[in-house]
Amino acid sequence: MCTDQVIQLKQQKERRKFIKQLTIGGLVLNFGFLTACQETLERLSIENEVFTTTQNKNLLNVLNILFPDDGNGPSIHDLNTFHHILWSMKDPYSDGYSKSVLIEGLDKLESSILSSKQKSFFQLSMELQEEEVEKMVKKDWGERFCSMLLSFIFESIAIDEAYAVNTGQVGWKWLQHQPGFPRPTPNDLYPSFIANHQL
Amino acid sequence: MKKYDICIVGSGAGAGPIIYELAKAGFKVCVLEKGPALETSDFSKDEYLACRKDVYASNLQNEFHEIESFSKSQKKWKLATTKATGRTYWNGNMVGGSSNLMSAYFHRLKPNDFKLLSTYGKIEGANVADWPIDYNTLEPYYAKVEEVVGVSGEVRPHSTQEPRSTKDFPYPPLKTNLISEWLDKAALAEGYSMVSVARGIISKTTTNRNACYYSNFCGSYGCSSNAKSSSRVALIYPAMATGNCTLIPNAKVYRLETDGTGKVAKAHYYLKDEKKSIEADIFVVAAQAIESSRLLLMSRGKLHPNGIGNQYAQVGKNIIFSAGGIGSGNLFDKDFSKETIAKIKTPGLWVNRAIQHWYEIDDPAFNGKVKGGTVDFVFEHANPMPKLMRQKWGDNGLVYGSKLKENIQDYFLDQRKIKFEIFNDWLPTDNCMVSLSETEKDKWGDPVAKVKIGYHPHDLIVARFLADKAEKILVNIGAKNISTGISSTPSPNLVAGGCRFGEDPKESVLDKNCKVHDCDNLYVADASFMPTGGSVPYTWTIYANSFRVADVIKRQLTI
């Protein structure tokens, strides 16, 4: 088997896994396993394939500052944004740019807090975390990082709940958005669509 | 390897009429389409798939362009690949091409568009040329597109109405929003009439196609009722039904091979990664302007050492886009009654209004009469993502937190945005052209197209003039926050030229019938033939010209 074939097989395997994870994400939502905050935090304590435990916790805290649960509209938890980011990071068709921006942001955030406060970002008080995010968005890397996170948050508001986000159309309802018809079917979601049509 | 009467590279608006006419006439037609054979049932209104992941365009990791643009800050031309920038120059990569995804604002060109040079004179630094045919030659084909491809609209008198051979459109106009009436009144108050815009979308059901169902998600999406007049639905499906048309999707043509007489003998293509070829008596290239030039340049042979049609180094020259810009204003809930704003916010209904009163400008601001253009009015697209993304940045950088949520909510709930799109001639210049990249290759190892995207400053002056007229209209209807962005960055969904047609082989690639001057059995039938693009979206003209070329090819095949 030549190198190209090995790479191709590896990519196919990764794509199958990615599609499966989307399905599991959807099922999990359907059965309501991720409806309690506590469960989400427990899940974050387990290192996943993309981020370390600390990165998970820092990421979730930054997301909640960028898009707070302030009584106006849905929360990050309602939108399942964290799951969407994890899923997107494993997109086998991605050029890897968004992943590199997030990893860079999380690394720089953690190292700057560790050196100045001798703690992880998530261990700071909420007030201090907000101050640090305010400082972070003024730096090039921080602005890039937060801008990318906002794009993921927006996706979790705007795209079809079939992607395991926008749970119960909570984002659409908030904005009184009327989706187009027909809506996507499970067989033709990204990335299955690419595989199904040999794009 | 089977021999066909005709082999067509591409299946979009430039290819469809030839496929349809030749198959119906009993000729054996083979279509080589780079993209997949998506069907109507494959399309949904999935924003993630269609817009965020751009799956209908070619994957930039596999195929891309090299763009050469002028950096004002560095005062020099700079190269960048679209693979690196992520700004795609691909449109619809599928059977039927980008006609599947078009917004389908259909405008005819006007008589003066065919003789820009002789009507308005030379513009220094621009390679403006008259067309070798006139409006009257193309008019019957415009009428044929209305009937066969399907165009809805209404004939209403206005100052620049183009001549017609038929009284009215075969399909009545689509339903419009209350705002269309406001725009009509606002224009009358300014002393002219608003144009009722025709659409390549049918408004009544036919045997094979359902009428528009006002999905509110049209441009960038495939149509689920077959109302949109794509080449696939209107022309290729009927051609396939004749039994004379063989469609080969996922077939990327990389070279046309010529024989000892200089005629094309074979089209070589990749079917996935396997190399294959097709023989035919006549070949047509309609792969969209940039790729058609690229294919001709890549098709070198003994009699065509620099590529077919390129004996005088004209292939790829004078690429044009559509000049102009985009403006907008907000209609805020608080400025209107509840009943009125509810009507304005009704989703799905069209605006379908345009200004063409300044299609020719006779104004002291210019030195004599100059060519003007069109301003189409549209509502902001229903896609929520771009609306959300717009809230990300404020005057002091990123906006986040509760303030962001408030801004989002205000934008979605308290207003509706009305936009206008300006279309004026992108003047052809030596700085806008296609060649083969010297360094960048696609996934098959072939050189990618290098596109130089220089513009003429006159384009921006005309666009600004038109923007001022459009902004006045928005003021008259009560819009706020009115602004316009005039841009020299081309929109990649309207690209033409590169193989312009003309009488003189030293200054053109194609003759007046769109046959390549130095190749007796090769035609180019997409927008490549256009020496100038008119001041409108030119899809209707591509369809019409392709019907005209189909008649020429039928005559050649029956001799």
Side-chain angles (χ1 to χ4, degrees):
Chain A
M1 197 180 282
C2 71
T3 316
D4 282 354
Q5 283 171 312
V6 172
I7 292 169
Q8 212 171 13
L9 277 175
K10 198 178 163 201
Q11 284 174 338
Q12 280 169 0
K13 200 175 160 192
E14 283 170 359
R15 280 166 198 165
R16 278 198 298 273
K17 201 168 158 191
F18 182 68
I19 293 164
K20 198 176 160 193
Q21 280 164 343
L22 170 68
T23 315
I24 291 169
L27 288 174
V28 164
L29 280 173
N30 287 341
F31 289 114
F33 287 139
L34 281 184
T35 50
C37 238
Q38 189 56 42
E39 283 168 352
T40 306
L41 290 172
E42 278 170 14
R43 189 162 160 255
L44 292 180
S45 68
I46 302 163
E47 191 163 289
N48 56 48
E49 293 165 57
V50 185
F51 302 122
T52 64
T53 305
T54 301
Q55 286 175 330
N56 282 335
K57 291 179 178 176
N58 286 347
L59 177 58
L60 188 67
N61 284 20
V62 174
L63 285 170
N64 276 311
I65 290 169
L66 295 179
F67 203 79
D69 186 7
D70 60 0
N72 177 15
S75 65
I76 291 296
H77 175 73
D78 298 333
L79 296 164
N80 209 23
T81 309
F82 188 81
H83 164 82
H84 179 58
I85 292 174
L86 278 187
W87 179 73
S88 301
M89 292 302 101
K90 291 183 246 175
D91 179 353
Y93 298 106
S94 163
D95 62 5
Y97 174 73
S98 50
K99 187 172 177 178
S100 66
V101 169
L102 293 201
I103 297 290
E104 180 202 37
L106 288 166
D107 283 350
K108 290 199 167 167
L109 173 66
E110 182 64 0
S111 63
S112 75
I113 305 297
L114 272 179
S115 65
S116 61
K117 306 272 193 302
Q118 289 78 51
K119 281 180 178 179
S120 282
F121 174 77
F122 73 87
Q123 291 169 324
L124 300 178
S125 69
M126 184 48 73
E127 205 174 10
L128 278 176
Q129 285 184 29
E130 286 173 353
E131 279 176 22
E132 291 302 327
V133 169
E134 201 176 331
K135 283 185 214 163
M136 177 168 66
V137 296
K138 293 191 172 75
K139 295 170 183 159
D140 284 350
W141 65 265
E143 187 183 70
R144 203 162 44 238
F145 171 60
C146 292
S147 170
M148 181 74 72
L149 290 181
L150 286 172
S151 295
F152 283 119
I153 293 168
F154 293 162
E155 283 183 348
S156 65
I157 295 170
I159 66 177
D160 199 288
E161 62 180 324
Y163 285 100
V165 292
N166 184 18
T167 316
Q169 302 179 18
V170 65
W172 290 352
K173 285 174 185 164
W174 178 44
L175 303 177
Q176 296 177 14
H177 170 68
Q178 187 173 313
F181 177 81
R183 287 175 51 195
T185 59
N187 291 336
D188 259 346
L189 295 175
Y190 180 89
S192 310
F193 190 89
I194 291 181
N196 293 348
H197 299 289
Q198 302 175 0
L199 295 174
Chain B
M1 185 168 56
K2 190 177 168 187
K3 188 168 179 179
Y4 293 90
D5 293 314
I6 182 163
C7 171
I8 298 157
V9 180
S11 62
I18 298 173
I19 297 167
Y20 174 88
E21 288 288 309
L22 274 285
K24 271 188 61 183
F27 295 104
K28 294 297 175 194
V29 178
C30 178
V31 182
L32 298 172
E33 165 54 50
K34 188 181 83 172
L38 298 184
E39 295 180 5
T40 303
S41 57
D42 293 321
F43 293 112
S44 69
K45 308 304 182 188
D46 182 347
E47 184 174 2
Y48 194 61
L49 195 70
C51 301
R52 295 297 290 165
K53 292 298 176 184
D54 231 357
V55 298
Y56 302 137
S58 302
N59 186 329
L60 289 177
Q61 298 307 306
N62 299 329
E63 302 176 80
F64 53 94
H65 295 94
E66 188 176 39
I67 304 298
E68 188 175 17
S69 57
F70 190 75
S71 164
K72 282 179 188 164
S73 57
Q74 296 178 34
K75 294 182 180 163
K76 63 177 185 181
W77 289 92
K78 289 188 74 179
L79 280 172
T81 67
T82 53
K83 181 164 74 170
T85 63
R87 186 168 192 269
T88 188
Y89 271 65
W90 298 116
N91 292 296
N93 179 47
M94 65 189 87
V95 171
S98 52
S99 65
N100 289 293
L101 311 176
M102 64 183 175
S103 300
Y105 291 90
F106 269 32
H107 294 275
R108 295 178 180 214
L109 266 61
K110 299 182 191 296
N112 280 356
D113 283 319
F114 293 71
K115 46 184 181 182
L116 225 56
L117 180 61
S118 52
T119 305
Y120 303 106
K122 189 171 167 53
I123 294 176
E124 200 55 43
N127 304 327
V128 178
D130 286 351
W131 289 31
I133 60 170
D134 60 12
Y135 177 83
N136 292 335
T137 307
L138 205 56
E139 199 287 331
Y141 298 101
Y142 278 127
K144 191 167 191 172
V145 174
E146 289 184 7
E147 191 68 48
V148 178
V149 180
V151 183
S152 60
E154 60 182 329
V155 177
R156 295 198 323 188
H158 61 88
S159 58
T160 59
Q161 173 70 53
E162 56 280 356
R164 296 176 53 90
S165 58
T166 56
K167 198 177 165 198
D168 213 335
F169 289 85
Y171 295 90
L174 294 161
K175 290 177 197 165
T176 50
N177 188 286
L178 173 64
I179 201 166
S180 308
E181 290 174 30
W182 291 5
L183 291 168
D184 287 341
K185 285 179 190 162
L188 285 175
E190 292 291 322
Y192 62 93
S193 297
M194 198 62 78
V195 174
S196 175
V197 179
R199 304 295 300 273
I201 300 170
I202 60 172
S203 51
K204 61 183 185 191
T205 296
T206 66
T207 316
N208 302 315
R209 297 168 61 184
N210 288 319
C212 176
Y213 66 105
Y214 302 90
S215 75
N216 207 27
F217 283 76
C218 189
S220 305
Y221 292 85
C223 180
S224 296
S225 74
N226 288 342
K228 196 187 285 188
S229 298
S230 69
S231 170
R232 174 180 59 88
V233 167
L235 302 166
I236 295 174
Y237 286 171
M240 299 288 287
T242 65
N244 294 323
C245 180
T246 303
L247 172 65
I248 306 178
N250 303 309
K252 163 73 167 60
V253 178
Y254 62 93
R255 185 173 166 239
L256 301 173
E257 180 187 328
T258 48
D259 61 18
T261 68
K263 283 187 173 180
V264 177
K266 291 178 188 173
H268 293 277
Y269 63 99
Y270 304 107
L271 190 63
K272 298 201 180 219
D273 294 324
E274 196 182 343
K275 286 184 173 178
K276 292 186 169 271
S277 62
I278 287 276
E279 288 185 4
D281 291 329
I282 287 183
F283 289 83
V284 175
V285 173
Q288 279 210 340
I290 292 169
E291 290 305 295
S292 290
S293 282
R294 178 187 176 209
L295 179 57
L296 264 57
L297 291 169
M298 282 168 57
S299 300
R300 293 175 182 176
K302 265 190 180 174
L303 295 174
H304 304 96
N306 299 314
I308 301 175
N310 202 30
Q311 56 182 332
Y312 295 109
Q314 290 297 306
V315 174
K317 297 284 169 63
N318 298 307
I319 284 278
I320 49 176
F321 297 90
S322 182
I326 294 175
S328 66
N330 306 98
L331 297 164
F332 288 105
D333 291 19
K334 61 181 168 55
D335 294 333
F336 303 94
S337 71
K338 269 187 182 174
E339 295 74 21
T340 302
I341 202 69
K343 284 181 186 168
I344 290 294
K345 285 184 162 180
T346 307
L349 299 177
W350 301 104
V351 178
N352 290 352
R353 291 294 185 269
I355 302 172
Q356 289 197 316
H357 190 63
W358 288 275
Y359 205 80
E360 178 178 85
I361 301 171
D362 187 4
D363 189 277
F366 294 88
N367 186 20
K369 283 183 185 176
V370 294
K371 178 67 191 305
T374 300
V375 182
D376 268 335
F377 289 91
V378 294
F379 276 126
E380 183 177 33
H381 198 290
N383 272 349
M385 267 312 280
K387 296 181 194 175
L388 286 163
M389 294 296 251
R390 222 160 273 136
Q391 311 310 315
K392 202 195 268 189
W393 301 97
D395 294 338
N396 300 313
L398 274 183
V399 179
Y400 64 91
S402 294
K403 178 67 185 158
L404 172 70
K405 292 181 94 171
E406 282 167 25
N407 289 354
I408 288 172
Q409 204 177 24
D410 289 349
Y411 191 84
F412 276 78
L413 303 185
D414 294 345
Q415 62 87 40
R416 188 165 194 190
K417 185 183 262 191
I418 177 78
K419 296 171 65 178
F420 59 81
E421 297 177 356
I422 302 163
F423 299 89
N424 59 288
D425 279 79
W426 179 285
L427 293 176
T429 72
D430 290 342
N431 283 328
C432 199
M433 58 175 287
V434 170
S435 57
L436 297 180
S437 172
E438 288 151 20
T439 52
E440 301 293 339
K441 292 186 175 1
D442 65 15
K443 72 166 181 177
W444 295 285
D446 297 319
V448 304
K450 177 178 167 183
V451 190
K452 193 172 186 179
I453 54 168
Y455 67 97
H456 196 291
H458 180 82
D459 303 348
L460 305 187
I461 297 167
V462 173
R464 186 62 254 175
F465 179 90
L466 295 169
D468 290 344
K469 306 298 180 190
E471 287 182 1
K472 266 190 186 171
I473 294 294
L474 291 195
V475 171
N476 287 358
I477 65 168
K480 304 276 171 63
N481 298 340
I482 298 165
S483 65
T484 309
I486 303 296
S487 174
S488 59
T489 304
S491 171
N493 59 354
L494 280 174
V495 53
C499 296
R500 54 163 54 171
F501 71 163
E503 303 287 0
D504 184 355
K506 289 182 181 167
E507 293 187 348
S508 56
V509 176
L510 312 174
D511 70 12
K512 68 176 183 183
N513 292 326
C514 293
K515 186 189 74 61
V516 177
H517 282 303
D518 65 1
C519 187
D520 285 341
N521 69 338
L522 177 61
Y523 292 79
V524 178
D526 54 23
S528 302
F529 76 97
M530 300 173 79
T532 52
S535 300
V536 290
Y538 31 72
T539 313
W540 193 352
T541 300
I542 300 170
Y543 271 131
N545 186 62
S546 181
F547 273 114
R548 185 181 71 89
V549 174
D551 279 352
V552 174
I553 294 173
K554 274 193 280 184
R555 282 198 296 274
Q556 186 175 346
L557 278 170
T558 44
I559 288 171

